[in-house]
Amino acid sequence: MGADIDGAIESRSSDGVWRFEVALWTLGPGRDTNAFQCLFGTGRGEVGTDRPFFARRGLPDDVSDPVREGSAFGDCEHSHTYATWAEVAAVDWDAPITDGPAWLWAGEWRSGEDGDLVLHDLAWVTPAINEAADDAFGGDFDSPAEWPPGGEVVLDGVVYRPVVLTARMFVSPDKENWVALWTAMRDLAAEHGDENVRLVAWFG
């Protein structure tokens, strides 16, 4: 299935009717497949989240006519869903989104300013990391998720450890390509109320 996002932001006025506000394509999140998995549980990302936030809820029954028409433009649209600004604002971006260490990722730890190791970045697990784990732990390992408790691998001066993924690692509120969307929703919520602004999205 395709992994391009489409949709719109809607607001609900005092008469209870939802109205189209802005098309999602103008806000530019682009094809961010790992973020799509975290938020909506769809797309060909590499996160493997067990708990996407707003997965496949369908179209709201009271969706505005322009958004309903746009969501049925062709035969390839799928994974329709929605989320109010109140729900987005309540997301704990630092909560685990998987039930254990990531299979395809490792935490990349480097020395901080005080000399202590700090989590610097996520690293894609390469054959070299797996081979270093085999040497360190005396086995045949395919993933950091299989390393013994407390296990870590040092390769080219970098320390790699198993990592439990969080949404902030892929789609934080200040991630550049999502800022315009979240800002638009926040600004509209300041006018209409948090429960009266929502994102309606689908994929194709």
Side-chain angles (χ1 to χ4, degrees), residues 140-198:
D140 184 11
F141 295 93
D142 296 320
S143 165
E146 298 178 329
W147 296 356
E152 63 180 28
V153 166
V154 181
L155 184 64
D156 297 328
V158 178
V159 176
Y160 296 96
R161 296 172 177 169
V163 62
V164 176
L165 301 178
T166 71
R168 188 178 297 279
M169 295 172 175
F170 300 99
V171 58
S172 64
D174 55 357
K175 187 179 180 184
E176 183 177 358
N177 58 320
W178 290 89
V179 166
L181 171 58
W182 303 143
T183 299
M185 293 186 73
R186 184 185 300 110
D187 290 348
L188 284 166
E191 177 181 354
H192 297 282
D194 291 359
E195 295 284 357
N196 297 320
V197 173
R198 70 185 174 197

Side-chain angles (χ1 to χ4, degrees), residues 1 31 36-37 42 72 79 104 110 114 147-148 162 184 189 191 196:
M1 290 188 294
R31 179 176 278 195
F36 296 164
Q37 281 198 345
T42 192
S79 306
L104 299 174
R110 297 176 182 265
D114 58 1
W147 296 356
E191 177 181 354
N196 297 320

Side-chain angles (χ1 to χ4, degrees), residues 9-152:
I9 298 175
E10 298 180 313
S11 67
R12 180 168 54 187
S13 57
S14 57
D15 60 6
V17 176
W18 288 93
R19 292 179 170 82
F20 169 86
E21 288 283 354
V22 59
L24 187 54
W25 68 266
T26 66
L27 302 174
R31 179 176 278 195
D32 192 346
T33 55
N34 288 330
F36 296 164
Q37 281 198 345
C38 291
L39 293 170
F40 310 115
T42 192
R44 295 191 177 96
E46 294 148 342
V47 179
T49 177
D50 296 305
R51 288 178 293 280
F53 295 119
F54 316 117
R56 304 177 189 233
R57 296 174 166 181
L59 284 179
D61 292 337
D62 53 1
V63 69
S64 63
D65 288 341
V67 177
R68 186 182 301 278
E69 292 166 5
S71 71
F73 183 76
D75 296 329
C76 61
E77 283 77 16
H78 61 88
S79 306
H80 298 70
T81 194
Y82 61 93
T84 67
W85 176 247
E87 292 175 306
V88 175
V91 166
D92 181 353
W93 301 100
D94 298 306
I97 56 174
T98 56
D99 290 329
W103 187 262
L104 299 174
W105 303 87
E108 180 180 305
W109 293 73
R110 297 176 182 265
S111 295
E113 294 181 358
D114 58 1
D116 292 336
L117 289 176
V118 295
L119 181 61
H120 174 75
D121 204 350
L122 288 179
W124 184 255
V125 178
T126 63
I129 293 175
N130 282 331
E131 289 169 8
D134 293 347
D135 292 340
F137 309 128
D140 184 11
F141 295 93
D142 296 320
S143 165
E146 298 178 329
W147 296 356
E152 63 180 28

